[in-house]
Amino acid sequence: MIEGRRLVMANFWVAVVAFGLAAIMAVMQALARADAELAIRSTKIYYVSVTAHGVLMALVFTTFFIMALGYFSLGAALKRVDTTTWGWISFLVSLVGTILATLAILSGSSTVLYTFYPPLKAHPLFYVGATLLVVGSWIWCWVMIRTYLVWRSKNRDEAVPLAVHGMVVTVVIWILATAGLAVEVVGMLLPWSFGLVDKVDPIVARTFFWWFGHPLTYFWLVPAYVVWYTIIPEAIGGRLFSDRLTRVVFILFVLFSTPVGFHHQFSDPGITSGWKLLHTVTTYAILFPSFVTAFSVIASFEVAGRLKGATGLFDWIAVLPWKDPFFASVALAMVTFAIGGFGGAINAAYAMNTMVKNTSWIQGHFHLTVGTAVALTFMGFSYWMLPRLTGYPVRLRALALAQPYTWFVGMMLFSITSHITGIMGMPRRVYSAAFGGSEVAASWASLTVVSAIGGVVLFVSSALWLVVLIVSVLGEKRPERPAIEFARPLVPVSGSAGLWDRFGLWTAVAAVLILIAYAYPIAHLLALPRFASSAFQPF
Amino acid sequence: MWTATFLLVAFVLAIVVSATVSAVHPPSHIETIDPAVVRTESEFSRPGVIEDEHGITVVVLAELYRFAPETIRVPAGRPIRFRVTSPDVLHGFQIVGTNANVVVAPGYVSEVVTTFPEPGEYLIVCNEYCGLSHHLMQAKLVVESTP
Ligand SMILES: [Cu+2]
């Protein structure tokens, strides 16, 4: 029994419920885009569901799952969580926030999509809910940091276990990222939605949003990497490629995750091209640790294959456990992420971005990255974690195995067609892509049908995951549980990790980088003669 | 690891060189305007095509849920400067099939300059969610051959 087991499971189940609701929202959107005639299809329902899908998947599912993974890593690797009381307070605050925001969205009063760009104005409860979700996650950060510090004070010279290293990095990224969000929501949107100020500047708000919005993706990704580096190699009988290299990779994410936001604002007025170029360079810098991850995790797979007796150039691939749903999830997530990564390099490209900006290419891209690399890893991890934490063995093994493969097929159909229609110019987030019978729009039509089929397959896969989880916990518990073992590196770690465990130092360096990347452009924006905008609720 | 480093350095160099040497930049126009008066007291109160000593400028107002003018006629083969702003929420201004694609924000004027080599008809769409009829917000660009 590990420390904080109940906290892990509570957060995990909220993530699962959010995922289920969001999946229902998604299938309707895919069908609407293909102009399918549905009884419940209306613009109002469509945009409500786009908002709900985005918030529940990208913010609620991920945040709760990552909080669960954080407690899991600390509880299993350090055998402690200090303190579980604050852990429960964090859980409740986040949960109340989630419920408030979800109600605000479903009532139709807050159809502002998950980016909530002003001057679109949501109901105040939406912002209050989002704020509470983040405040709850900050309390989680505090529990994580405190647990780490207590452990550190008792183990002065030891390298922190790698999984904990990754989770501390996740916490640091989250704190640096949400600082931008806090300024936007608390400083601008909350007072505005309560009517205390009557105008906001949309470009200033967007700048703070993307200060948060891109590091957010590393807040999703680093925990998935924790699973890739520290769990899966052991689970398939392999070895972690290099402990030291992994720590360097994690620290690079701390340094470079924040000063990258402008690649979301390449087409914005009010920001000079010089700053956009600087962010381009730092955005490419952050591709580096992802590339290294691809190489080193695949190397750990190869080691596993060779330990199983493979000797040829590629036969180690065949002997990998493709019938294990956990391994299949992670392996397919990695394949998908490689494709998503190349698309991301285009999004981040200073001048090429304009070809894909706000087209369906973007939705194709993030469904490969967060929607598959992260979400599929998390789903696969749940098959591994559930029996170890709760004693419930995974039942319906055949469905559990079908789940990652259907997800992969569905996502390929959905995302590849979205990339293609994006290149052809189809905008994202439109209820109908018919554009009054326009000729170009007609050329997208057959592809949107393929992508709708992908959406349906994805929905089936989501349902499989939920069914497997629910049926598993309705079954009988086993008294003996599989051991929780983290991956051992190829070369054993000797002594302390020294420099790469100095989180305070790296956080300070990252803060300086953020200052360099944002202080001047924000000052420049604020110095312009500004005419902020009143609120609009066209929904 | 060295492959990764090499690839990244090559990418970044290509981008920095194209930006600094050939001046390929994303649209980054800096100009503010009061959204309360754009409909009444600015050039955007008379949207349309203007030809003067600076060349051809198209003044476009993007608002819930239309572009004004709804049909834009420009000649092929000459640089066209689009100036766009919004009196209400964020919109997108995307000429489908071209590299003209810019975010339109109330309070700011967005500019994008491009040349259409061939005559033809283009669809202009709003690609930034703006409300319930977002998907209906469109205009037509007619590129005419120059005699
Ligand atoms: Cu619009």
Side-chain angles (χ1 to χ4, degrees):
Chain A
M1 180 84 75
I2 72 160
E3 232 357 86
R5 186 183 64 84
R6 285 167 170 278
L7 270 176
V8 178
M9 292 318 291
N11 283 283
F12 171 76
W13 284 113
V14 175
V16 172
V17 171
F19 184 93
L21 283 174
I24 295 169
M25 302 290 168
V27 69
M28 203 273 285
Q29 290 163 44
L31 292 172
R33 187 70 71 81
D35 276 316
E37 283 309 325
L38 302 173
I40 50 158
R41 187 178 178 223
S42 76
T43 49
K44 178 110 189 153
I45 295 175
Y46 177 80
Y47 289 113
V48 164
S49 90
V50 175
T51 307
H53 176 75
V55 170
L56 288 171
M57 279 300 193
L59 298 176
V60 179
F61 163 69
T62 49
T63 304
F64 275 94
F65 199 100
I66 290 162
M67 293 198 288
L69 194 60
Y71 294 128
F72 172 84
S73 304
L74 269 55
L78 302 181
K79 313 269 182 275
R80 63 186 314 135
V81 171
D82 309 277
T83 68
T84 45
T85 313
W86 280 105
W88 287 110
I89 294 171
S90 149
F91 174 74
L92 288 177
V93 172
S94 310
L95 184 62
V96 169
T98 298
I99 292 171
L100 291 182
T102 307
L103 290 178
I105 294 167
L106 295 181
S107 74
S109 66
S110 306
T111 309
V112 290
L113 308 198
Y114 103 101
T115 40
F116 50 84
Y117 294 142
L120 288 177
K121 189 169 99 172
H123 191 279
L125 271 189
F126 175 84
Y127 303 111
V128 171
T131 304
L132 288 178
L133 172 61
V134 172
V135 169
S137 74
W138 283 344
I139 302 173
W140 168 79
C141 290
W142 159 242
V143 176
M144 301 284 289
I145 292 172
R146 196 185 135 82
T147 307
Y148 167 73
L149 290 177
V150 171
W151 176 87
R152 176 54 80 202
S153 69
K154 292 179 177 157
N155 303 271
R156 289 241 169 257
D157 303 317
E158 243 180 273
V160 68
L162 197 54
V164 179
H165 187 279
M167 288 316 302
V168 174
V169 160
T170 304
V171 165
V172 173
I173 291 175
W174 187 238
I175 292 172
L176 294 176
T178 46
L181 185 72
V183 173
E184 188 201 4
V185 175
V186 179
M188 302 175 74
L189 303 185
L190 266 177
W192 175 63
S193 71
F194 279 114
L196 301 175
V197 290
D198 48 296
K199 288 184 174 186
V200 287
D201 185 303
I203 297 293
V204 174
R206 272 166 72 83
T207 304
F208 281 110
F209 182 83
W210 287 114
W211 161 325
F212 155 80
H214 203 79
L216 169 67
T217 66
Y218 300 107
F219 169 70
W220 299 327
L221 207 52
V222 172
Y225 284 177
V226 167
V227 174
W228 293 7
Y229 276 115
T230 72
I231 312 242
I232 193 80
E234 184 71 30
I236 62 169
R239 296 283 184 277
L240 168 67
F241 182 68
S242 158
D243 180 276
R244 184 62 55 94
L245 184 63
T246 311
R247 285 172 207 263
V248 176
V249 162
F250 285 151
I251 292 300
L252 287 178
F253 279 115
V254 171
L255 297 185
F256 289 116
S257 63
T258 321
V260 296
F262 284 173
H263 73 268
H264 293 265
Q265 293 181 275
F266 279 166
S267 303
D268 280 24
I271 300 167
T272 58
S273 51
W275 289 100
K276 292 177 179 174
L277 190 58
L278 176 81
H279 279 229
T280 305
V281 174
T282 43
T283 308
Y284 274 89
I286 195 134
L287 281 177
F288 178 77
S290 286
F291 275 168
V292 173
T293 301
F295 287 124
S296 52
V297 176
I298 290 174
S300 74
F301 289 178
E302 181 174 347
V303 172
R306 302 225 177 273
L307 288 174
K308 288 187 168 68
T311 51
L313 197 52
F314 290 114
D315 61 342
W316 55 270
I317 298 175
V319 300
L320 291 173
W322 293 98
K323 290 185 175 165
D324 168 8
F326 179 32
F327 173 76
S329 298
V330 172
L332 295 173
M334 290 181 64
V335 172
T336 320
F337 193 57
I339 308 171
F342 284 108
I346 295 197
N347 302 341
Y350 187 62
M352 265 193 285
N353 171 275
T354 184
M355 292 305 292
V356 295
K357 170 83 191 172
N358 273 334
T359 67
S360 58
W361 166 286
I362 303 299
Q363 101 207 351
H365 168 70
F366 66 73
H367 278 87
L368 290 180
T369 50
V370 60
T372 304
V374 174
L376 189 54
T377 297
F378 287 174
M379 289 187 266
F381 176 73
S382 68
Y383 301 129
W384 182 87
M385 182 185 76
L386 192 69
R388 282 167 176 77
L389 269 194
T390 63
Y392 291 111
V394 172
R395 295 165 74 199
L396 307 177
R397 297 287 303 191
L399 297 189
L401 182 58
Q403 187 265 322
Y405 291 97
T406 43
W407 188 270
F408 181 76
V409 170
M411 202 50 100
M412 283 297 139
L413 292 175
F414 176 79
S415 287
I416 302 292
T417 47
S418 294
H419 276 89
I420 300 171
T421 49
I423 288 282
M424 293 165 80
M426 184 171 111
R428 65 194 280 206
R429 296 169 156 179
V430 283
Y431 166 71
S432 157
F435 288 99
S438 135
E439 223 172 283
V440 224
S443 69
W444 308 326
S446 55
L447 287 164
T448 53
V449 173
V450 178
S451 113
I453 295 169
V456 174
V457 177
L458 283 170
F459 180 69
V460 170
S461 180
S462 310
L464 289 178
W465 184 52
L466 296 175
V467 168
V468 169
L469 287 180
I470 292 166
V471 171
S472 298
V473 298
L474 292 179
E476 240 171 84
K477 270 193 194 190
R478 287 209 190 122
E480 77 288 355
R481 296 169 192 177
I484 295 173
E485 281 177 74
F486 291 98
R488 290 160 290 167
L490 271 177
V491 182
V493 208
S494 53
S496 78
L499 192 58
W500 306 110
D501 273 13
R502 296 190 56 190
F503 299 108
L505 169 73
W506 296 116
T507 309
V509 177
V512 171
L513 286 175
I514 295 172
L515 214 61
I516 294 171
Y518 276 104
Y520 182 83
I522 288 176
H524 177 250
L525 266 176
L526 294 179
L528 289 174
R530 275 175 322 122
F531 306 95
S533 189
S534 323
F536 290 87
Q537 293 187 305
F539 40 81
Chain B
M1 222 176 113
W2 295 115
T3 328
T5 314
F6 172 76
L7 278 176
L8 283 180
V9 170
F11 279 165
V12 172
L13 273 182
I15 288 172
V16 173
V17 167
S18 75
T20 48
V21 179
S22 7
V24 179
H25 294 296
S28 307
H29 188 64
I30 317 264
E31 181 185 342
T32 54
I33 188 168
D34 185 352
V37 303
V38 292
R39 280 202 191 93
T40 48
E41 290 163 29
S42 73
E43 64 195 287
F44 296 94
S45 63
R46 293 175 310 278
V49 183
I50 299 161
E51 187 167 2
D52 57 16
E53 69 273 19
H54 307 298
I56 300 174
T57 304
V58 184
V59 176
V60 180
L61 184 67
E63 59 184 346
L64 295 163
Y65 296 100
R66 65 184 204 117
F67 289 106
E70 273 169 12
T71 304
I72 299 167
R73 289 176 190 279
V74 295
R78 294 181 55 188
I80 316 284
R81 175 182 305 274
F82 293 91
R83 286 172 57 77
V84 199
T85 194
S86 157
D88 41 54
V89 298
L90 289 175
H91 296 285
F93 178 81
Q94 178 193 356
I95 307 177
V96 174
T98 75
N99 64 354
N101 184 354
V102 71
V103 171
V104 184
Y108 294 81
V109 178
S110 298
E111 272 199 7
V112 55
V113 182
T114 194
T115 305
F116 307 94
E118 297 295 326
E121 260 191 40
Y122 293 87
L123 172 69
I124 300 176
V125 298
C126 169
N127 65 11
E128 187 74 77
Y129 165 74
C130 55
L132 283 193
S133 297
H134 167 51
H135 64 289
L136 297 177
M137 187 163 164
Q138 58 176 317
K140 188 163 74 171
L141 175 76
V142 183
V143 178
E144 295 170 326
S145 60
T146 32

